[in-house]
């Protein structure tokens, strides 16, 4: 028994040291390119799809953040898909002009709401933005530059925490920074495995080809990233493009979110285990 525990212990030490060495190697080889995100010279037509369910407190600010982007206004289409909200989300979204508001009238989940918006999108690029996230002004210009590579299927941004009053929120702020940094390192080895809903962009034709988001997966932003990779495209990470987002402010909400992330991740691994 002691020998078995020793072997397991040594195995985990080896895996840990190997992982640390690999991460350091990737970082040292690419440290000069971490924030190398040139501004795009090609202003694509972009459809911004915002799925919303009971987001009366944040939907207006999210739409305003999109409208205030440093990007040609005639190149951006804003689509808000109400997923059967029971609060004043629809009423508040109606107060802003220039918004294509789609009211489904029933709740069917985020993935289905996003797919509903994609069907109405006219842009060459589709940006998915959560209804409680707020892209910074230069985020689109930085992210869209990656699409000049025809092999790029999706691009995601750096999410940072907006609400940092409580300890649990401060801890998540640190976590989100480390996640973004780690995801950029994965970008250098073509291994970005998630395109978060806070802000990610996709080629419209690619979304049409793969049938959009999987409505059966509870972490649709993980599953779609794997679907993009399976199709032969690359997921890219733009560290210089930032988007603020709200995070769980109680332990219970945090636990439910992380449980969903992990269960959804396992769903995705099971779906693509033979790929």
């Amino acid at each position: 028994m002691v020998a078995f525990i020793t072997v397991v212990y040594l195995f985990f030490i080896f895996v840990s040291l190997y992982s640390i060495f690999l991460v350091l190697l990737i970082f040292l080889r690419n440290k000069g390119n971490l924030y190398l995100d040139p501004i795009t010279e090609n202003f694509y037509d972009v459809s911004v799809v915002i799925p919303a369910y009971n987001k009366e407190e944040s939907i207006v600010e999210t739409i305003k953040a999109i409208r205030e982007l440093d990007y040609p206004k005639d190149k951006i289409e804003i689509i808000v898909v109400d997923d059967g909200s029971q609060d004043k989300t629809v009423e508040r979204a109606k107060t802003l002009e220039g918004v294509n508001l789609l009211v489904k009238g029933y709740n069917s989940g985020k993935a289905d709401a996003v797919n509903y918006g994609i069907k109405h999108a006219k842009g060459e690029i589709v940006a998915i933005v959560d209804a409680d996230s707020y892209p910074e002004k230069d985020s689109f210009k930085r992210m869209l530059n990656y699409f000049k590579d025809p092999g790029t299927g999706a691009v995601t941004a750096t999410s940072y925490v907006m609400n940092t009053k409580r300890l649990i929120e401060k801890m998540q702020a640190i976590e989100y920074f480390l996640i973004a940094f780690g995801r950029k390192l994965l970008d250098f080895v073509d291994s970005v495995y998630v395109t978060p809903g806070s802000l990610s962009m996709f080629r419209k034709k690619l979304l049409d080809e793969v049938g959009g988001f999987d409505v059966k997966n509870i972490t649709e932003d993980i599953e779609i990233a794997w679907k993009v990779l399976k199709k032969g495209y690359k997921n890219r990470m733009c560290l210089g493009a930032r988007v603020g987002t709200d995070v769980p402010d109680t332990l219970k909400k945090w636990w439910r979110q992380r449980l969903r992330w992990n269960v959804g991740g396992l769903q995705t691994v099971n779906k693509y285990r033979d790929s």
Side-chain angles (χ1 to χ4, degrees):
M1 185 65 180
V2 175
F4 174 75
I5 294 176
T6 301
V7 170
V8 172
Y9 181 70
L10 291 174
F11 171 76
F12 280 108
I13 289 179
F14 170 77
V15 171
S16 299
L17 291 175
Y18 177 81
S19 300
I20 292 172
F21 174 77
L22 185 61
V23 168
L24 285 175
L25 181 62
I26 296 173
F27 169 72
L28 292 174
R29 291 190 62 180
N30 298 279
K31 61 181 181 180
N33 298 321
L34 288 173
Y35 289 94
L36 189 60
D37 302 313
I39 300 299
T40 186
E41 296 178 357
N42 186 355
F43 294 111
Y44 300 87
D45 289 320
V46 182
S47 294
V48 182
V49 176
I50 307 173
Y53 176 68
N54 291 344
K55 293 295 182 179
E56 63 178 7
E57 296 181 358
S58 59
I59 186 63
V60 171
E61 293 305 315
T62 296
I63 295 172
K64 285 183 177 179
I66 302 298
R67 294 174 63 176
E68 293 173 1
L69 288 168
D70 182 17
Y71 198 80
K73 301 299 183 275
D74 61 335
K75 293 288 186 179
I76 292 184
E77 173 190 32
I78 302 177
I79 302 174
V80 174
V81 183
D82 180 69
D83 191 30
S85 297
Q86 299 176 358
D87 61 0
K88 297 181 180 179
T89 298
V90 173
E91 288 82 348
R92 296 198 173 175
K94 284 182 178 179
T95 63
L96 299 178
E97 297 181 357
V99 176
N100 183 5
L101 177 61
L102 306 177
V103 182
K104 289 167 51 199
Y106 58 93
N107 177 252
S108 56
K110 180 182 174 181
D112 189 53
V114 170
N115 289 340
Y116 194 81
I118 292 172
K119 290 179 181 178
H120 293 80
K122 301 175 182 178
E124 181 181 356
I125 303 296
V126 174
I128 311 298
V129 179
D130 285 339
D132 56 3
S133 297
Y134 321 95
E136 293 193 351
K137 290 187 176 182
D138 64 347
S139 56
F140 275 35
K141 282 186 175 181
R142 292 183 180 278
M143 295 173 71
L144 286 166
N145 186 64
Y146 285 88
F147 286 105
K148 70 180 182 181
D149 176 4
T152 296
V155 182
T156 189
T158 296
S159 299
Y160 67 92
V161 177
M162 295 283 289
N163 50 318
T164 57
K165 293 182 179 180
R166 302 183 179 183
L167 177 61
I168 191 171
E169 297 166 345
K170 290 182 170 65
M171 295 298 291
Q172 288 176 86
I174 297 172
E175 179 191 26
Y176 271 52
F177 169 78
L178 295 175
I179 288 174
F181 188 79
R183 190 171 295 140
K184 184 59 181 180
L185 295 182
L186 290 175
D187 178 21
F188 292 125
V189 291
D190 295 334
S191 301
V192 176
Y193 63 89
V194 59
T195 47
S198 52
L199 173 57
S200 291
M201 294 183 174
F202 304 83
R203 292 188 188 276
K204 173 66 161 54
K205 68 174 185 178
L206 174 58
L207 291 176
D208 292 337
E209 288 176 14
V210 301
F213 288 69
D214 185 351
V215 298
K216 296 181 180 179
N217 192 296
I218 61 175
T219 50
E220 73 292 325
D221 51 358
I222 296 178
E223 194 279 334
I224 191 65
W226 288 49
K227 193 177 288 184
V228 169
L229 294 173
K230 185 178 181 180
K231 199 67 178 179
Y233 287 85
K234 292 180 288 187
N235 295 315
R236 303 300 306 274
M237 170 63 182
C238 181
L239 197 60
R242 289 163 47 85
V243 54
T245 190
D246 297 326
V247 296
D249 56 2
T250 66
L251 186 60
K252 182 179 180 180
K253 292 179 182 178
W254 175 86
W255 174 254
R256 291 177 61 183
Q257 181 194 62
R258 299 315 161 99
L259 183 62
R260 180 178 65 83
W261 286 4
N262 283 278
V263 172
L266 291 175
Q267 279 185 298
T268 302
V269 170
N270 182 61
K271 179 178 180 178
Y272 292 98
R273 66 184 186 279
D274 297 326
S275 300

